[in-house]
């Protein structure tokens, strides 16, 4: 494909980005009773969620299981244009008394849950690698260029990040054995930066060394709120030709809610010490229109030669 056609494709896709599906990942840090009672923090969390069509929330620490029902009330209580959210949540995960949950919140009109399961971390000779096993969810949407995709979330323990990130390849293989899925999104707080994953450690991470896994959030990015840190802890990784080609160009980014909502660092840290990471998938209409436009341009160019 010529450089002209590549440039044209990127331009056409970007003009349809507003039709795209925004997928986000957010470590809300110690999301429990005290944060739920903080009205200012909750207002920001709800604003962040409303930006997204699917959002992964991590570090939910709520033994009463009231975080997601509370969020549903705030999201759907005054819902306009029939935009309602639903959610799917994991069991409480952790080796000892400390437990967390993964939750996916999503717009019901745009996507639905096809299947889900908690990864069984019991491989012979390599058991119990994950501090919090991935809660794997298979989504489907009639509105996106890629009609279904599996999201594999992960919140690592910092000291074992290298091993846990590497082990995501085994999770991928396990999902492939279970389901006829081709499109994969790995995302979450991988603690994949600074001292937790030094440069020399990347060669031991199959998720990085295998070129079929495409990393959308790069090593030089900063996903932390504190100005005193600069680390790419939170990541998004894709696998599958169809989903990689369906990404809206330039949509992979970090959402700086502190800047967007004009918060002081102190107020931002009341929400989380992590910024959300995100990207967009093209809508089926945008993708079809782009292909038609490019095909038309090709025909015109051919007729002139």
């Amino acid at each position: 494909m010529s450089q002209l056609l590549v440039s044209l494709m990127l331009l056409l896709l970007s003009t349809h980005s507003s039709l795209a599906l925004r997928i986000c990942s957010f470590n809300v840090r110690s999301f429990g009773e005290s944060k739920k009672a903080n009205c200012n923090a909750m207002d920001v969390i709800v604003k962040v969620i409303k930006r997204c069509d699917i959002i992964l929330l991590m570090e939910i620490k709520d033994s009463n299981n009231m975080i997601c029902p509370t969020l549903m009330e705030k999201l759907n209580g005054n819902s306009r244009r029939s935009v309602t959210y639903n959610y799917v949540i994991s069991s409480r995960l952790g080796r000892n008394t400390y437990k967390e949950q993964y939750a996916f919140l999503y717009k019901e009109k745009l996507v639905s849950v096809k299947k889900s399961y908690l990864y069984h971390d019991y491989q012979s000779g390599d058991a119990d690698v994950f501090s919090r096993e991935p809660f794997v969810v298979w989504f489907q949407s009639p509105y996106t260029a890629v009609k279904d995709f599996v999201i594999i979330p992960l919140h690592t323990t910092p000291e074992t990040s290298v091993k846990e990130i590497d082990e995501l390849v085994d999770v991928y293989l396990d999902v492939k054995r279970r389901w006829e899925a081709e499109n994969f999104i790995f995302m979450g707080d991988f603690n994949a930066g600074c001292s937790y994953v030094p440069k020399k450690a990347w060669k031991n991470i199959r998720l990085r060394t295998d070129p079929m896994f495409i990393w959308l959030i790069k090593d030089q990015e900063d996903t932390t709120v504190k100005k005193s840190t600069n680390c790419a802890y939170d990541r998004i990784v894709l696998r599958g030709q169809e989903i990689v080609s369906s990404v809206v160009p330039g949509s992979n980014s970090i959402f700086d809610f502190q800047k967007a909502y004009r918060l002081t660092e102190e107020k931002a840290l009341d929400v989380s010490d992590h910024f959300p990471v995100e990207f967009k998938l093209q809508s089926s209409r945008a993708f079809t229109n782009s292909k038609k436009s490019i095909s038309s341009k090709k025909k015109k160019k051919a007729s002139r030669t």
Side-chain angles (χ1 to χ4, degrees):
M1 183 181 295
S2 69
Q3 186 61 43
L4 176 63
L5 288 174
V6 171
S7 300
L8 177 61
M9 177 180 284
L10 294 177
L11 176 62
L12 288 167
L13 295 180
S14 63
T15 60
H16 292 282
S17 62
S18 61
L19 304 173
L21 192 80
R22 189 194 303 268
I23 301 176
C24 312
S25 171
F26 189 20
N27 180 347
V28 192
R29 193 197 60 180
S30 299
F31 197 2
E33 284 295 324
S34 60
K35 188 161 291 185
K36 185 163 70 74
N38 185 326
C39 294
N40 292 331
M42 285 295 286
D43 285 346
V44 174
I45 292 167
V46 169
K47 286 179 182 178
V48 170
I49 293 170
K50 283 183 174 180
R51 295 181 64 258
C52 306
D53 300 308
I54 302 174
I55 185 168
L56 162 66
L57 300 182
M58 290 162 287
E59 242 185 87
I60 295 175
K61 298 162 61 177
D62 173 29
S63 58
N64 296 319
N65 291 315
M66 286 305 299
I67 291 293
C68 283
T70 299
L71 288 173
M72 290 300 105
E73 289 179 11
K74 292 181 177 294
L75 290 163
N76 298 333
N78 297 310
S79 180
R80 298 178 180 178
R81 295 179 297 174
S82 301
V83 177
T84 57
Y85 281 83
N86 203 342
Y87 72 95
V88 58
I89 190 167
S90 73
S91 56
R92 299 181 70 229
L93 303 169
R95 295 191 179 103
N96 302 308
T97 56
Y98 179 83
K99 304 288 184 182
E100 294 180 13
Q101 290 171 286
Y102 300 108
F104 290 95
L105 282 63
Y106 58 94
K107 291 179 181 175
E108 290 186 297
K109 278 196 169 183
L110 298 180
V111 293
S112 59
V113 173
K114 194 172 181 179
K115 293 180 181 180
S116 66
Y117 81 100
L118 185 66
Y119 176 69
H120 301 295
D121 194 10
Y122 304 126
Q123 305 94 317
S124 177
D126 196 19
D128 197 25
V129 169
F130 294 110
S131 304
R132 293 162 285 270
E133 299 92 331
F135 176 57
V136 184
V137 182
W138 195 359
F139 288 96
Q140 57 187 5
S141 172
Y143 302 108
T144 49
V146 53
K147 298 304 178 188
D148 61 87
F149 45 89
V150 173
I151 302 183
I152 300 173
L154 181 63
H155 180 205
T156 71
T157 291
E159 293 75 19
T160 58
S161 294
V162 172
K163 181 61 177 172
E164 290 193 48
I165 300 168
D166 173 71
E167 200 79 4
L168 283 175
V169 174
D170 292 321
V171 182
Y172 163 76
L173 295 173
D174 186 67
V175 177
K176 291 285 286 183
R177 283 191 291 267
R178 292 169 178 265
W179 299 339
E180 293 182 1
E182 298 296 333
N183 302 297
F184 291 82
I185 304 167
F186 306 81
M187 64 185 190
D189 176 8
F190 291 3
N191 285 297
C194 292
S195 61
Y196 300 137
V197 183
K199 289 182 179 180
K200 63 182 180 181
W202 286 111
K203 65 180 184 297
N204 298 318
I205 297 175
R206 290 170 289 165
L207 201 75
R208 174 60 69 90
T209 58
D210 185 339
M212 297 301 290
F213 294 100
I214 307 300
W215 290 62
L216 297 187
I217 307 298
K218 304 303 182 183
D219 296 345
Q220 66 272 19
E221 302 287 354
D222 181 14
T223 69
T224 63
V225 173
K226 289 182 180 178
K227 287 184 171 58
S228 59
T229 58
N230 193 325
C231 305
Y233 289 146
D234 303 84
R235 302 298 187 107
I236 300 171
V237 182
L238 304 182
R239 170 106 188 207
Q241 183 177 354
E242 187 179 19
I243 194 166
V244 170
S245 64
S246 297
V247 174
V248 173
S251 65
N252 45 309
S253 61
I254 297 155
F255 178 59
D256 185 339
F257 61 79
Q258 180 184 351
K259 182 178 179 180
Y261 305 135
R262 299 179 180 179
L263 304 175
T264 63
E265 183 174 298
E266 182 182 6
K267 291 296 184 183
L269 287 170
D270 284 344
V271 178
S272 180
D273 54 358
H274 291 254
F275 289 128
V277 292
E278 62 184 51
F279 75 105
K280 292 180 182 179
L281 287 177
Q282 298 164 40
S283 72
S284 54
R285 186 172 63 172
F287 191 66
T288 301
N289 289 345
S290 297
K291 289 199 296 184
K292 286 180 178 178
S293 297
I294 290 168
S295 176
S296 176
K297 291 288 184 181
K298 281 183 176 180
K299 288 178 181 178
K300 287 181 180 178
K301 184 179 179 181
S303 66
R304 290 196 299 265
T305 58

